[in-house]
Amino acid sequence: MTASLRELLERGAAGRPDTVIVSGAGQQLTWRDLHTQARRTAAALTRDGVKARDRVVFVGKNDPAYFGYLFGCALAGAVPVPLNWRLSAAELTAMIKDSGARIAFTDEAGAPAVGQAQAELPQLSTVVALAPSDRWPSLAAWQDPAGLDPAGLDPANQDPGVPAAPDDIAFQLYTSGTTGPPKGAMFTNGSNLRVLLDDISVAWGFTPDDVSLVCMPLFHMGGLAWALAGMAQGARQVIVRDFAPGPVLDTMAAENVTMAFCVPTMLSALSATSATTNAARPQALRQMVYSGAPISPTGLQAAQEALACDFVQIYGLTEATGAFAQLSAAEHADPEHPEYLRSAGRPYPWVEVKVTDSQTGRDVPAGQIGEIWTRSAQNLAGYWHQPEQTAAALTGDGWLRTGDLGYLDGQQRIYLVDRAKDMIITGGENVYPAEIEKVLAAHPALAEAAVIGVPDDRWGETVKAVVVARPGQAPDPAGVIAFCRDQLARFKCPTSVDVVDALPHTGTGKVVKPVLRERYWQGHDRRIH
């Protein structure tokens, strides 16, 4: 049983010290190297006053240095909080403030936002630069042995020795809500991390001989869980900093990648590039896992033909430590049951799933649509400093409300039909219309606005704003989009704006989103994963 990041690191360093466990960006880290980096980071964190349960943030792209930060926090008893570098400076500042972090790690991608956050937040006293900076110390300078111990001891030997308890928080990930501020979802050692490292890693089929592609962002559960699951089984992680289909295909071929996890947007790009260029097919690839957005049958077939490997679909959400259900490779290839491909799979053996009436919470029969609920040790411990939001997500007896609408067949396969909370998934990023609608409400030319997801061949879904003009105003769609981009991350902003005379409403004045979406989705299979 592996019940902490400390235990995972120490077991690897003791059992396979010279095995390369992380590579990328011209670097190769063995378990021994990673252990040394983690101890250096832990010693520096402790020197700078970080105590057990303090939060430490990371704002940057995928990088092998991320793992020294992750495990260094664990050795110091601190809680790693990786944040989405694509967010606006205002959004990141709010998250850093909420976390209470006094130390941040960042690279050139996150530096502008972190710089603004430091200017606004007295709490953020230290920033460690993972890229050349004339403003902050580099990682090596921050870890300078001269500043770590007056006796000049090697900082690689200065493990603070903070023990890891089962109820300690292993990591905290911020997940946006439909209303209110972002929420810091907390995941414990003894429940969430243990299941990920011991059980989910096995369900995903990792072996010590595997080479795993990590192209999903490490600030998302998708990237973090995938990397940790592979490491738990001894697989080498190949870190992709920026996803570009041609270079990624070349990397997969050159590194003999055997396992990969992508969202459908990435799959479409990989298959299209493979079909139209001379990019080498990754011959060693044996399994592709996918999840996170709508995918059409034709898109899946194109990816299967291009990559020529087993395909596995997973379904879950951040609050459930990622995947809690899986559609196997055998079910993908079953010619007698093509309808299985419309399913999101069946829950893992240790996971309970049921469908409930979203108004009453009562169970509904098999085949009837309701809200998907799940219960297992995978469910988050709660939201940081938000007991009301925690109570809204988790029932008193441990069920997690997913917010997804769907039904179960007689074999417990999950079929999803829509999102109870209108969430949009575009290119693997979760976007919540209410957040964008709040920004649009401040536009001087708009009387009303509704945001929906519409089908997009590249991104699965993309964001559309349907707006009503104020009397005497003629809003320019490009200007409305620019207005949003001044305040929101680019991926959250509308890519198109339709100006209409009126929006459909219920008797109580709420916009009827299904009616609004109807004409845009005609002829499309609206599947959500």
Side-chain angles (χ1 to χ4, degrees), residues 421-467:
K421 299 177 182 177
D422 290 326
M423 185 177 72
I424 300 165
I425 301 181
T426 177
E429 294 280 3
N430 293 349
V431 176
Y432 293 88
E435 184 180 16
I436 307 163
E437 289 164 355
K438 183 178 180 180
V439 171
L440 291 171
H443 192 291
L446 302 182
E448 191 174 15
V451 172
I452 58 173
V454 296
D456 183 87
D457 290 339
R458 182 180 183 187
W459 303 113
E461 288 182 274
T462 190
V463 179
K464 175 181 282 291
V466 185
V467 304

mmCIF file of all heavy atoms in Angstrom, residues 421-467:
data_model
loop_
_atom_site.group_PDB
_atom_site.id
_atom_site.type_symbol
_atom_site.label_atom_id
_atom_site.label_comp_id
_atom_site.label_asym_id
_atom_site.label_seq_id
_atom_site.Cartn_x
_atom_site.Cartn_y
_atom_site.Cartn_z
ATOM 1 N N LYS A 421 -25.205 21.293 -14.881
ATOM 2 C CA LYS A 421 -24.761 22.647 -14.550
ATOM 3 C C LYS A 421 -24.329 23.437 -15.781
ATOM 4 O O LYS A 421 -23.678 24.470 -15.661
ATOM 5 C CB LYS A 421 -23.616 22.572 -13.546
ATOM 6 C CG LYS A 421 -24.027 21.902 -12.236
ATOM 7 C CD LYS A 421 -22.853 21.775 -11.283
ATOM 8 C CE LYS A 421 -23.274 21.059 -10.002
ATOM 9 N NZ LYS A 421 -22.143 20.844 -9.079
ATOM 10 N N ASP A 422 -24.664 22.923 -16.988
ATOM 11 C CA ASP A 422 -24.379 23.659 -18.229
ATOM 12 C C ASP A 422 -22.901 23.869 -18.494
ATOM 13 O O ASP A 422 -22.523 24.731 -19.299
ATOM 14 C CB ASP A 422 -25.070 25.037 -18.226
ATOM 15 C CG ASP A 422 -26.571 24.925 -18.350
ATOM 16 O OD1 ASP A 422 -27.034 24.002 -19.040
ATOM 17 O OD2 ASP A 422 -27.269 25.744 -17.756
ATOM 18 N N MET A 423 -22.037 23.116 -17.835
ATOM 19 C CA MET A 423 -20.609 23.284 -18.054
ATOM 20 C C MET A 423 -20.244 22.996 -19.509
ATOM 21 O O MET A 423 -20.797 22.106 -20.142
ATOM 22 C CB MET A 423 -19.820 22.352 -17.144
ATOM 23 C CG MET A 423 -18.323 22.534 -17.200
ATOM 24 S SD MET A 423 -17.481 21.453 -16.025
ATOM 25 C CE MET A 423 -17.714 19.861 -16.813
ATOM 26 N N ILE A 424 -19.296 23.761 -20.023
ATOM 27 C CA ILE A 424 -18.781 23.573 -21.371
ATOM 28 C C ILE A 424 -17.367 23.003 -21.247
ATOM 29 O O ILE A 424 -16.583 23.456 -20.416
ATOM 30 C CB ILE A 424 -18.729 24.919 -22.124
ATOM 31 C CG1 ILE A 424 -20.123 25.543 -22.222
ATOM 32 C CG2 ILE A 424 -18.124 24.749 -23.523
ATOM 33 C CD1 ILE A 424 -20.101 27.014 -22.617
ATOM 34 N N ILE A 425 -17.045 21.991 -22.051
ATOM 35 C CA ILE A 425 -15.677 21.476 -22.093
ATOM 36 C C ILE A 425 -15.123 21.787 -23.474
ATOM 37 O O ILE A 425 -15.596 21.259 -24.473
ATOM 38 C CB ILE A 425 -15.604 19.967 -21.808
ATOM 39 C CG1 ILE A 425 -16.179 19.650 -20.429
ATOM 40 C CG2 ILE A 425 -14.171 19.482 -21.912
ATOM 41 C CD1 ILE A 425 -16.132 18.193 -20.055
ATOM 42 N N THR A 426 -14.140 22.659 -23.522
ATOM 43 C CA THR A 426 -13.557 23.066 -24.796
ATOM 44 C C THR A 426 -12.062 22.772 -24.772
ATOM 45 O O THR A 426 -11.329 23.319 -23.953
ATOM 46 C CB THR A 426 -13.837 24.552 -25.092
ATOM 47 O OG1 THR A 426 -13.192 24.914 -26.312
ATOM 48 C CG2 THR A 426 -13.407 25.473 -23.967
ATOM 49 N N GLY A 427 -11.638 21.853 -25.622
ATOM 50 C CA GLY A 427 -10.230 21.481 -25.655
ATOM 51 C C GLY A 427 -9.726 20.912 -24.350
ATOM 52 O O GLY A 427 -8.562 21.057 -24.005
ATOM 53 N N GLY A 428 -10.600 20.250 -23.576
ATOM 54 C CA GLY A 428 -10.208 19.671 -22.297
ATOM 55 C C GLY A 428 -10.285 20.621 -21.124
ATOM 56 O O GLY A 428 -10.048 20.222 -19.987
ATOM 57 N N GLU A 429 -10.628 21.892 -21.363
ATOM 58 C CA GLU A 429 -10.754 22.875 -20.281
ATOM 59 C C GLU A 429 -12.217 23.022 -19.887
ATOM 60 O O GLU A 429 -13.091 23.140 -20.760
ATOM 61 C CB GLU A 429 -10.218 24.239 -20.739
ATOM 62 C CG GLU A 429 -8.735 24.268 -21.010
ATOM 63 C CD GLU A 429 -7.888 24.405 -19.753
ATOM 64 O OE1 GLU A 429 -8.465 24.428 -18.644
ATOM 65 O OE2 GLU A 429 -6.662 24.473 -19.876
ATOM 66 N N ASN A 430 -12.487 23.019 -18.606
ATOM 67 C CA ASN A 430 -13.838 23.241 -18.114
ATOM 68 C C ASN A 430 -14.146 24.737 -18.099
ATOM 69 O O ASN A 430 -13.389 25.530 -17.546
ATOM 70 C CB ASN A 430 -13.996 22.692 -16.692
ATOM 71 C CG ASN A 430 -13.904 21.180 -16.651
ATOM 72 O OD1 ASN A 430 -13.927 20.523 -17.687
ATOM 73 N ND2 ASN A 430 -13.783 20.631 -15.468
ATOM 74 N N VAL A 431 -15.271 25.111 -18.697
ATOM 75 C CA VAL A 431 -15.697 26.509 -18.746
ATOM 76 C C VAL A 431 -17.121 26.590 -18.214
ATOM 77 O O VAL A 431 -17.998 25.813 -18.638
ATOM 78 C CB VAL A 431 -15.631 27.065 -20.183
ATOM 79 C CG1 VAL A 431 -16.175 28.483 -20.234
ATOM 80 C CG2 VAL A 431 -14.204 27.028 -20.697
ATOM 81 N N TYR A 432 -17.360 27.523 -17.306
ATOM 82 C CA TYR A 432 -18.664 27.659 -16.677
ATOM 83 C C TYR A 432 -19.351 28.924 -17.182
ATOM 84 O O TYR A 432 -18.861 30.038 -16.975
ATOM 85 C CB TYR A 432 -18.521 27.675 -15.159
ATOM 86 C CG TYR A 432 -18.040 26.360 -14.623
ATOM 87 C CD1 TYR A 432 -16.677 26.101 -14.526
ATOM 88 C CD2 TYR A 432 -18.939 25.359 -14.276
ATOM 89 C CE1 TYR A 432 -16.228 24.875 -14.063
ATOM 90 C CE2 TYR A 432 -18.486 24.123 -13.816
ATOM 91 C CZ TYR A 432 -17.128 23.892 -13.716
ATOM 92 O OH TYR A 432 -16.684 22.678 -13.274
ATOM 93 N N PRO A 433 -20.492 28.775 -17.867
ATOM 94 C CA PRO A 433 -21.171 29.932 -18.453
ATOM 95 C C PRO A 433 -21.464 31.057 -17.477
ATOM 96 O O PRO A 433 -21.381 32.226 -17.838
ATOM 97 C CB PRO A 433 -22.466 29.315 -19.003
ATOM 98 C CG PRO A 433 -22.093 27.912 -19.336
ATOM 99 C CD PRO A 433 -21.143 27.500 -18.242
ATOM 100 N N ALA A 434 -21.829 30.724 -16.241
ATOM 101 C CA ALA A 434 -22.188 31.770 -15.281
ATOM 102 C C ALA A 434 -21.059 32.765 -15.072
ATOM 103 O O ALA A 434 -21.286 33.960 -14.871
ATOM 104 C CB ALA A 434 -22.593 31.147 -13.947
ATOM 105 N N GLU A 435 -19.814 32.288 -15.106
ATOM 106 C CA GLU A 435 -18.670 33.163 -14.920
ATOM 107 C C GLU A 435 -18.562 34.179 -16.066
ATOM 108 O O GLU A 435 -18.282 35.363 -15.854
ATOM 109 C CB GLU A 435 -17.398 32.330 -14.831
ATOM 110 C CG GLU A 435 -16.142 33.133 -14.549
ATOM 111 C CD GLU A 435 -14.914 32.259 -14.464
ATOM 112 O OE1 GLU A 435 -14.971 31.101 -14.911
ATOM 113 O OE2 GLU A 435 -13.882 32.741 -13.972
ATOM 114 N N ILE A 436 -18.807 33.702 -17.287
ATOM 115 C CA ILE A 436 -18.723 34.582 -18.457
ATOM 116 C C ILE A 436 -19.928 35.517 -18.492
ATOM 117 O O ILE A 436 -19.808 36.704 -18.838
ATOM 118 C CB ILE A 436 -18.640 33.737 -19.747
ATOM 119 C CG1 ILE A 436 -17.504 32.719 -19.627
ATOM 120 C CG2 ILE A 436 -18.420 34.625 -20.967
ATOM 121 C CD1 ILE A 436 -17.574 31.599 -20.628
ATOM 122 N N GLU A 437 -21.088 34.996 -18.139
ATOM 123 C CA GLU A 437 -22.297 35.821 -18.131
ATOM 124 C C GLU A 437 -22.183 36.984 -17.147
ATOM 125 O O GLU A 437 -22.710 38.075 -17.389
ATOM 126 C CB GLU A 437 -23.506 34.941 -17.814
ATOM 127 C CG GLU A 437 -23.864 34.000 -18.964
ATOM 128 C CD GLU A 437 -24.791 32.875 -18.558
ATOM 129 O OE1 GLU A 437 -25.092 32.756 -17.347
ATOM 130 O OE2 GLU A 437 -25.198 32.104 -19.437
ATOM 131 N N LYS A 438 -21.466 36.770 -16.050
ATOM 132 C CA LYS A 438 -21.263 37.837 -15.085
ATOM 133 C C LYS A 438 -20.441 38.970 -15.703
ATOM 134 O O LYS A 438 -20.709 40.166 -15.472
ATOM 135 C CB LYS A 438 -20.564 37.289 -13.841
ATOM 136 C CG LYS A 438 -20.363 38.320 -12.743
ATOM 137 C CD LYS A 438 -19.704 37.686 -11.512
ATOM 138 C CE LYS A 438 -19.489 38.715 -10.410
ATOM 139 N NZ LYS A 438 -18.846 38.101 -9.222
ATOM 140 N N VAL A 439 -19.442 38.613 -16.492
ATOM 141 C CA VAL A 439 -18.629 39.626 -17.179
ATOM 142 C C VAL A 439 -19.469 40.359 -18.224
ATOM 143 O O VAL A 439 -19.450 41.593 -18.327
ATOM 144 C CB VAL A 439 -17.397 38.972 -17.830
ATOM 145 C CG1 VAL A 439 -16.654 39.955 -18.737
ATOM 146 C CG2 VAL A 439 -16.457 38.441 -16.761
ATOM 147 N N LEU A 440 -20.242 39.600 -19.001
ATOM 148 C CA LEU A 440 -21.062 40.202 -20.053
ATOM 149 C C LEU A 440 -22.130 41.134 -19.481
ATOM 150 O O LEU A 440 -22.539 42.098 -20.132
ATOM 151 C CB LEU A 440 -21.712 39.108 -20.898
ATOM 152 C CG LEU A 440 -20.764 38.294 -21.784
ATOM 153 C CD1 LEU A 440 -21.494 37.107 -22.402
ATOM 154 C CD2 LEU A 440 -20.149 39.168 -22.876
ATOM 155 N N ALA A 441 -22.562 40.852 -18.261
ATOM 156 C CA ALA A 441 -23.593 41.695 -17.641
ATOM 157 C C ALA A 441 -23.106 43.125 -17.438
ATOM 158 O O ALA A 441 -23.915 44.053 -17.312
ATOM 159 C CB ALA A 441 -24.020 41.095 -16.307
ATOM 160 N N ALA A 442 -21.786 43.300 -17.418
ATOM 161 C CA ALA A 442 -21.229 44.639 -17.225
ATOM 162 C C ALA A 442 -20.969 45.361 -18.542
ATOM 163 O O ALA A 442 -20.539 46.520 -18.533
ATOM 164 C CB ALA A 442 -19.924 44.533 -16.438
ATOM 165 N N HIS A 443 -21.247 44.713 -19.661
ATOM 166 C CA HIS A 443 -21.013 45.364 -20.960
ATOM 167 C C HIS A 443 -22.078 46.440 -21.179
ATOM 168 O O HIS A 443 -23.282 46.163 -21.094
ATOM 169 C CB HIS A 443 -21.059 44.326 -22.085
ATOM 170 C CG HIS A 443 -20.545 44.834 -23.401
ATOM 171 N ND1 HIS A 443 -21.217 45.778 -24.145
ATOM 172 C CD2 HIS A 443 -19.419 44.538 -24.092
ATOM 173 C CE1 HIS A 443 -20.538 46.035 -25.250
ATOM 174 N NE2 HIS A 443 -19.440 45.293 -25.240
ATOM 175 N N PRO A 444 -21.694 47.660 -21.479
ATOM 176 C CA PRO A 444 -22.667 48.759 -21.544
ATOM 177 C C PRO A 444 -23.692 48.641 -22.671
ATOM 178 O O PRO A 444 -24.750 49.272 -22.591
ATOM 179 C CB PRO A 444 -21.777 49.991 -21.736
ATOM 180 C CG PRO A 444 -20.506 49.467 -22.317
ATOM 181 C CD PRO A 444 -20.316 48.122 -21.699
ATOM 182 N N ALA A 445 -23.408 47.838 -23.696
ATOM 183 C CA ALA A 445 -24.331 47.749 -24.829
ATOM 184 C C ALA A 445 -25.277 46.560 -24.732
ATOM 185 O O ALA A 445 -26.143 46.392 -25.601
ATOM 186 C CB ALA A 445 -23.547 47.669 -26.145
ATOM 187 N N LEU A 446 -25.145 45.749 -23.671
ATOM 188 C CA LEU A 446 -25.928 44.515 -23.592
ATOM 189 C C LEU A 446 -26.997 44.605 -22.509
ATOM 190 O O LEU A 446 -26.716 44.993 -21.371
ATOM 191 C CB LEU A 446 -25.015 43.317 -23.307
ATOM 192 C CG LEU A 446 -23.885 43.063 -24.311
ATOM 193 C CD1 LEU A 446 -23.113 41.812 -23.922
ATOM 194 C CD2 LEU A 446 -24.422 42.962 -25.733
ATOM 195 N N ALA A 447 -28.195 44.205 -22.882
ATOM 196 C CA ALA A 447 -29.296 44.134 -21.913
ATOM 197 C C ALA A 447 -29.330 42.777 -21.237
ATOM 198 O O ALA A 447 -29.719 42.665 -20.069
ATOM 199 C CB ALA A 447 -30.618 44.405 -22.611
ATOM 200 N N GLU A 448 -28.918 41.746 -21.962
ATOM 201 C CA GLU A 448 -28.973 40.383 -21.432
ATOM 202 C C GLU A 448 -28.016 39.520 -22.230
ATOM 203 O O GLU A 448 -27.750 39.778 -23.420
ATOM 204 C CB GLU A 448 -30.396 39.827 -21.539
ATOM 205 C CG GLU A 448 -30.612 38.533 -20.775
ATOM 206 C CD GLU A 448 -32.071 38.096 -20.794
ATOM 207 O OE1 GLU A 448 -32.844 38.628 -21.612
ATOM 208 O OE2 GLU A 448 -32.423 37.206 -20.003
ATOM 209 N N ALA A 449 -27.485 38.475 -21.593
ATOM 210 C CA ALA A 449 -26.560 37.576 -22.276
ATOM 211 C C ALA A 449 -26.684 36.174 -21.700
ATOM 212 O O ALA A 449 -26.878 35.994 -20.496
ATOM 213 C CB ALA A 449 -25.120 38.070 -22.150
ATOM 214 N N ALA A 450 -26.576 35.193 -22.566
ATOM 215 C CA ALA A 450 -26.530 33.790 -22.155
ATOM 216 C C ALA A 450 -25.366 33.139 -22.881
ATOM 217 O O ALA A 450 -25.100 33.438 -24.047
ATOM 218 C CB ALA A 450 -27.836 33.083 -22.486
ATOM 219 N N VAL A 451 -24.666 32.248 -22.200
ATOM 220 C CA VAL A 451 -23.500 31.578 -22.773
ATOM 221 C C VAL A 451 -23.767 30.083 -22.845
ATOM 222 O O VAL A 451 -24.232 29.476 -21.873
ATOM 223 C CB VAL A 451 -22.244 31.867 -21.926
ATOM 224 C CG1 VAL A 451 -21.068 31.016 -22.388
ATOM 225 C CG2 VAL A 451 -21.890 33.348 -22.001
ATOM 226 N N ILE A 452 -23.466 29.504 -23.995
ATOM 227 C CA ILE A 452 -23.682 28.075 -24.219
ATOM 228 C C ILE A 452 -22.476 27.493 -24.940
ATOM 229 O O ILE A 452 -21.663 28.213 -25.512
ATOM 230 C CB ILE A 452 -24.958 27.805 -25.051
ATOM 231 C CG1 ILE A 452 -24.870 28.530 -26.404
ATOM 232 C CG2 ILE A 452 -26.203 28.224 -24.278
ATOM 233 C CD1 ILE A 452 -26.007 28.184 -27.358
ATOM 234 N N GLY A 453 -22.378 26.180 -24.920
ATOM 235 C CA GLY A 453 -21.388 25.484 -25.719
ATOM 236 C C GLY A 453 -22.017 25.060 -27.037
ATOM 237 O O GLY A 453 -23.160 24.609 -27.073
ATOM 238 N N VAL A 454 -21.276 25.240 -28.115
ATOM 239 C CA VAL A 454 -21.750 24.826 -29.440
ATOM 240 C C VAL A 454 -20.702 23.902 -30.044
ATOM 241 O O VAL A 454 -19.516 23.957 -29.694
ATOM 242 C CB VAL A 454 -22.020 26.038 -30.353
ATOM 243 C CG1 VAL A 454 -23.150 26.889 -29.796
ATOM 244 C CG2 VAL A 454 -20.767 26.876 -30.549
ATOM 245 N N PRO A 455 -21.092 23.026 -30.957
ATOM 246 C CA PRO A 455 -20.146 22.049 -31.506
ATOM 247 C C PRO A 455 -19.022 22.702 -32.296
ATOM 248 O O PRO A 455 -19.222 23.715 -32.978
ATOM 249 C CB PRO A 455 -21.027 21.172 -32.405
ATOM 250 C CG PRO A 455 -22.242 21.986 -32.694
ATOM 251 C CD PRO A 455 -22.450 22.861 -31.506
ATOM 252 N N ASP A 456 -17.860 22.109 -32.180
ATOM 253 C CA ASP A 456 -16.692 22.619 -32.890
ATOM 254 C C ASP A 456 -15.830 21.424 -33.289
ATOM 255 O O ASP A 456 -15.519 20.560 -32.452
ATOM 256 C CB ASP A 456 -15.891 23.564 -31.986
ATOM 257 C CG ASP A 456 -14.701 24.179 -32.693
ATOM 258 O OD1 ASP A 456 -14.891 25.233 -33.331
ATOM 259 O OD2 ASP A 456 -13.604 23.599 -32.619
ATOM 260 N N ASP A 457 -15.443 21.365 -34.565
ATOM 261 C CA ASP A 457 -14.698 20.217 -35.072
ATOM 262 C C ASP A 457 -13.339 20.064 -34.407
ATOM 263 O O ASP A 457 -12.846 18.948 -34.229
ATOM 264 C CB ASP A 457 -14.502 20.342 -36.591
ATOM 265 C CG ASP A 457 -15.803 20.158 -37.359
ATOM 266 O OD1 ASP A 457 -16.738 19.553 -36.797
ATOM 267 O OD2 ASP A 457 -15.885 20.618 -38.510
ATOM 268 N N ARG A 458 -12.727 21.173 -34.027
ATOM 269 C CA ARG A 458 -11.393 21.097 -33.441
ATOM 270 C C ARG A 458 -11.423 20.918 -31.939
ATOM 271 O O ARG A 458 -10.702 20.094 -31.376
ATOM 272 C CB ARG A 458 -10.600 22.360 -33.790
ATOM 273 C CG ARG A 458 -9.174 22.339 -33.249
ATOM 274 C CD ARG A 458 -8.423 23.611 -33.613
ATOM 275 N NE ARG A 458 -7.050 23.539 -33.139
ATOM 276 C CZ ARG A 458 -6.183 24.542 -33.182
ATOM 277 N NH1 ARG A 458 -6.560 25.720 -33.703
ATOM 278 N NH2 ARG A 458 -4.957 24.409 -32.728
ATOM 279 N N TRP A 459 -12.259 21.696 -31.250
ATOM 280 C CA TRP A 459 -12.243 21.736 -29.785
ATOM 281 C C TRP A 459 -13.315 20.897 -29.119
ATOM 282 O O TRP A 459 -13.378 20.831 -27.895
ATOM 283 C CB TRP A 459 -12.370 23.188 -29.313
ATOM 284 C CG TRP A 459 -11.320 24.089 -29.853
ATOM 285 C CD1 TRP A 459 -11.478 25.121 -30.726
ATOM 286 C CD2 TRP A 459 -9.918 24.044 -29.580
ATOM 287 N NE1 TRP A 459 -10.288 25.722 -31.010
ATOM 288 C CE2 TRP A 459 -9.304 25.080 -30.313
ATOM 289 C CE3 TRP A 459 -9.119 23.222 -28.778
ATOM 290 C CZ2 TRP A 459 -7.927 25.312 -30.278
ATOM 291 C CZ3 TRP A 459 -7.745 23.462 -28.731
ATOM 292 C CH2 TRP A 459 -7.178 24.489 -29.478
ATOM 293 N N GLY A 460 -14.173 20.235 -29.895
ATOM 294 C CA GLY A 460 -15.283 19.471 -29.323
ATOM 295 C C GLY A 460 -16.468 20.377 -29.070
ATOM 296 O O GLY A 460 -17.553 20.180 -29.593
ATOM 297 N N GLU A 461 -16.252 21.386 -28.260
ATOM 298 C CA GLU A 461 -17.218 22.453 -28.035
ATOM 299 C C GLU A 461 -16.455 23.771 -28.013
ATOM 300 O O GLU A 461 -15.260 23.803 -27.709
ATOM 301 C CB GLU A 461 -17.926 22.297 -26.684
ATOM 302 C CG GLU A 461 -18.915 21.172 -26.577
ATOM 303 C CD GLU A 461 -19.570 21.161 -25.208
ATOM 304 O OE1 GLU A 461 -18.994 20.565 -24.282
ATOM 305 O OE2 GLU A 461 -20.657 21.753 -25.068
ATOM 306 N N THR A 462 -17.130 24.836 -28.312
ATOM 307 C CA THR A 462 -16.554 26.162 -28.151
ATOM 308 C C THR A 462 -17.612 27.075 -27.551
ATOM 309 O O THR A 462 -18.803 26.743 -27.530
ATOM 310 C CB THR A 462 -16.032 26.711 -29.496
ATOM 311 O OG1 THR A 462 -15.268 27.890 -29.253
ATOM 312 C CG2 THR A 462 -17.164 27.020 -30.445
ATOM 313 N N VAL A 463 -17.180 28.196 -27.022
ATOM 314 C CA VAL A 463 -18.063 29.073 -26.253
ATOM 315 C C VAL A 463 -18.769 30.068 -27.180
ATOM 316 O O VAL A 463 -18.123 30.762 -27.973
ATOM 317 C CB VAL A 463 -17.257 29.836 -25.178
ATOM 318 C CG1 VAL A 463 -18.170 30.771 -24.392
ATOM 319 C CG2 VAL A 463 -16.551 28.852 -24.247
ATOM 320 N N LYS A 464 -20.079 30.139 -27.056
ATOM 321 C CA LYS A 464 -20.870 31.114 -27.806
ATOM 322 C C LYS A 464 -21.676 31.965 -26.835
ATOM 323 O O LYS A 464 -22.264 31.442 -25.875
ATOM 324 C CB LYS A 464 -21.839 30.435 -28.790
ATOM 325 C CG LYS A 464 -22.764 31.425 -29.513
ATOM 326 C CD LYS A 464 -23.714 30.739 -30.457
ATOM 327 C CE LYS A 464 -23.033 30.353 -31.732
ATOM 328 N NZ LYS A 464 -22.648 31.525 -32.581
ATOM 329 N N ALA A 465 -21.701 33.264 -27.096
ATOM 330 C CA ALA A 465 -22.548 34.175 -26.330
ATOM 331 C C ALA A 465 -23.735 34.574 -27.205
ATOM 332 O O ALA A 465 -23.555 34.961 -28.364
ATOM 333 C CB ALA A 465 -21.773 35.408 -25.905
ATOM 334 N N VAL A 466 -24.919 34.433 -26.653
ATOM 335 C CA VAL A 466 -26.143 34.893 -27.327
ATOM 336 C C VAL A 466 -26.642 36.085 -26.529
ATOM 337 O O VAL A 466 -26.948 35.953 -25.334
ATOM 338 C CB VAL A 466 -27.194 33.781 -27.393
ATOM 339 C CG1 VAL A 466 -28.409 34.232 -28.198
ATOM 340 C CG2 VAL A 466 -26.600 32.514 -28.013
ATOM 341 N N VAL A 467 -26.694 37.258 -27.170
ATOM 342 C CA VAL A 467 -26.917 38.496 -26.424
ATOM 343 C C VAL A 467 -28.091 39.295 -26.982
ATOM 344 O O VAL A 467 -28.449 39.169 -28.154
ATOM 345 C CB VAL A 467 -25.647 39.370 -26.421
ATOM 346 C CG1 VAL A 467 -24.456 38.599 -25.862
ATOM 347 C CG2 VAL A 467 -25.332 39.883 -27.826
#
